[in-house]
Amino acid sequence: MFSLSESSHRRLNPLSGEWVLVSPHRTQRPWLGQVETAITESQPAYDPSCYLCPGNERARGVHNPKYDSTFVFDNDFPALLPQTTTSELNEKGLIVAQGESGICRVVCFSPRHDLTLARMSPGETRRVIDVWADQFSDLGARDHINYVQIFENRGAAMGASNPHPHCQIWASSSVPNEPRKEQLSLHNYKAQHDRCLLCEYFLYESKASERFVLSNEHFLVVVPFWANWPFETLIIGKRHVLDIAGLSSDERDAFADILGRLTRCYDRLFNTSFPYSMGFHQRPTDGQEHPEWHMHTHFYPPLLRSASIRKFMVGFELLGSPQRDITAEAAAARLREVSSNP
Ligand SMILES: [Zn+2]
Ligand SMILES: [Zn+2]
Ligand SMILES: [Zn+2]
């Protein structure tokens, strides 16, 4: 029997069906690579040059309203358009393409340019959750929309060009790769075990403690056993809820609490405004029931060892499998150390 904390091994991600290589013996090797500048600059509450601040001009001369809570608008440079053709191309199974239609929106979390999820009050975050739920229902109800992907890119390290707190919604006519892989795994697990994969994982991690980060009455945060990114986390709801619109009022309040505590925990880890990509995976909106789906939230932060040392997915990770040195258990212990103050 090998040791998960000492020997090299690979771990299965039962959601994606893919493996991650773990090399815990390498954590002492010296670092000689790129050092990124720490993000220490503070932001003003209002930035006259920000295209997301209330009243300011966006692309093509459109002005934002002087909003005082949340604000949703259609992306000025959308990756998907509603009227795209649905025709297909297939030449010898080599040159294959399908028309893809959709709707892209932007959600400003707050009129304040300087806030983040970590700095917003639970009430303010609850309003954002209600907007996410309404947007999921509104977009998902449309005939040509079969999946609604809600995600936030936070910080320059993740390519986010604007610090104003906001997320994007890409609603598409096909189910994108990641949820499509998970859909298959959730379906197969239910067929084999007659249980939900994530309900079972919630129960397993509720009894274990090595990967625990945070919890409240309705949600559990862990560094999943199969995490790729050093401080990746997974937020799982206790109840089997298919999508964000299915969360009860109490669960939405609890979700706001857990999002605030997790992002503050991240900010404290390396004493920086922690960059990440986060988003929800939930049932497709293709008209099927999808009882196999269990809505959940992924946080994928790039930082490895400090505010300036990030993880790169290159080399073996691009050509072979993702790889990590620090184990999920060691990462969770680090996050627990900085999670004491809610
Ligand atoms: Zn702004
Ligand atoms: Zn479930
Ligand atoms: Zn997922």
Side-chain angles (χ1 to χ4, degrees):
M1 183 63 194
F2 62 83
S3 159
L4 286 176
S5 60
E6 286 166 26
S7 311
S8 60
H9 60 278
R10 61 180 193 150
R11 300 186 182 192
L12 175 68
N13 179 339
L15 277 172
S16 67
E18 292 170 351
W19 295 82
V20 53
L21 177 62
V22 185
S23 316
H25 56 284
R26 288 212 314 175
T27 46
Q28 296 311 316
R29 83 197 159 111
W31 177 265
L32 298 168
Q34 174 185 349
V35 174
E36 290 185 8
T37 315
I39 311 148
T40 49
E41 62 186 79
S42 63
Q43 298 292 337
Y46 167 78
D47 178 351
S49 67
C50 168
Y51 65 91
L52 298 174
C53 275
N56 287 4
E57 184 175 339
R58 297 206 313 271
R60 304 188 182 110
V62 180
H63 279 79
N64 295 326
K66 296 207 159 140
Y67 64 98
D68 56 13
S69 175
T70 56
F71 171 51
V72 183
F73 62 93
D74 284 341
N75 197 315
D76 297 311
F77 301 101
L80 294 159
L81 295 168
Q83 70 279 12
T84 304
T85 171
T86 53
S87 55
E88 297 190 14
L89 173 72
N90 189 333
E91 292 177 16
K92 300 177 186 285
L94 297 171
I95 309 296
V96 180
Q98 295 177 339
E100 178 78 14
S101 67
I103 299 168
C104 295
R105 288 184 174 162
V106 176
V107 181
C108 295
F109 297 167
S110 162
R112 285 269 304 267
H113 185 80
D114 58 336
L115 293 187
T116 59
L117 281 179
R119 299 180 61 203
M120 285 164 63
S121 71
E124 289 168 326
T125 304
R126 165 63 198 262
R127 279 199 290 277
V128 177
I129 292 167
D130 288 340
V131 170
W132 288 333
D134 291 348
Q135 288 293 317
F136 173 81
S137 299
D138 169 28
L139 293 165
R142 300 176 191 220
D143 276 349
H144 70 295
I145 298 299
N146 293 317
Y147 196 80
V148 180
Q149 183 60 58
I150 301 172
F151 63 95
E152 180 191 8
N153 273 341
R154 175 90 216 153
M158 294 310 277
S161 51
N162 189 328
H164 196 112
H166 71 286
C167 77
Q168 299 192 56
I169 304 175
W170 291 19
S172 54
S173 58
S174 70
V175 181
N177 293 347
E178 297 306 315
R180 187 162 46 83
K181 283 185 258 179
E182 294 191 356
Q183 157 104 7
L184 185 66
S185 302
L186 289 164
H187 176 84
N188 289 347
Y189 192 93
K190 193 170 166 60
Q192 279 174 23
H193 303 269
D194 199 26
R195 289 199 165 91
C196 163
L197 191 162
L198 282 174
C199 282
E200 289 295 291
Y201 189 57
F202 182 98
L203 286 176
Y204 185 92
E205 291 291 16
S206 301
K207 288 177 201 145
S209 57
E210 311 100 287
R211 289 170 295 277
F212 172 86
V213 178
L214 291 169
S215 70
N216 62 24
E217 192 186 350
H218 296 290
F219 291 93
L220 173 67
V221 184
V222 294
V223 178
F225 182 71
W226 52 83
N228 284 350
W229 294 92
F231 293 96
E232 176 178 333
T233 53
L234 178 67
I235 307 178
I236 320 168
K238 184 178 193 173
R239 192 165 68 89
H240 185 82
V241 175
L242 310 190
D243 57 62
I244 193 164
L247 295 176
S248 69
S249 184
D250 278 358
E251 286 167 336
R252 291 181 192 196
D253 285 340
F255 195 36
D257 167 72
I258 218 81
L259 284 173
R261 286 165 61 202
L262 176 58
T263 49
R264 284 192 290 280
C265 183
Y266 274 142
D267 284 1
R268 281 195 293 264
L269 183 65
F270 297 132
N271 201 21
T272 189
S273 187
F274 207 76
Y276 57 76
S277 276
M278 79 87 149
F280 317 122
H281 281 150
Q282 45 193 339
R283 73 169 171 92
T285 56
D286 55 3
Q288 313 282 318
E289 290 279 315
H290 291 298
E292 73 279 16
W293 265 93
H294 187 135
M295 178 247 165
H296 58 276
T297 307
H298 296 282
F299 269 81
Y300 298 134
L303 296 185
L304 174 63
R305 231 175 295 168
S306 71
S308 59
I309 297 180
R310 62 163 294 167
K311 162 84 179 168
F312 288 97
M313 288 286 182
V314 296
F316 187 80
E317 285 131 326
L318 273 182
L319 292 152
S321 296
Q323 182 272 343
R324 60 182 295 142
D325 293 346
I326 176 177
T327 62
E329 295 74 30
R334 290 287 314 278
L335 286 168
R336 282 198 302 276
E337 281 169 22
V338 289
S339 71
S340 50
N341 307 311

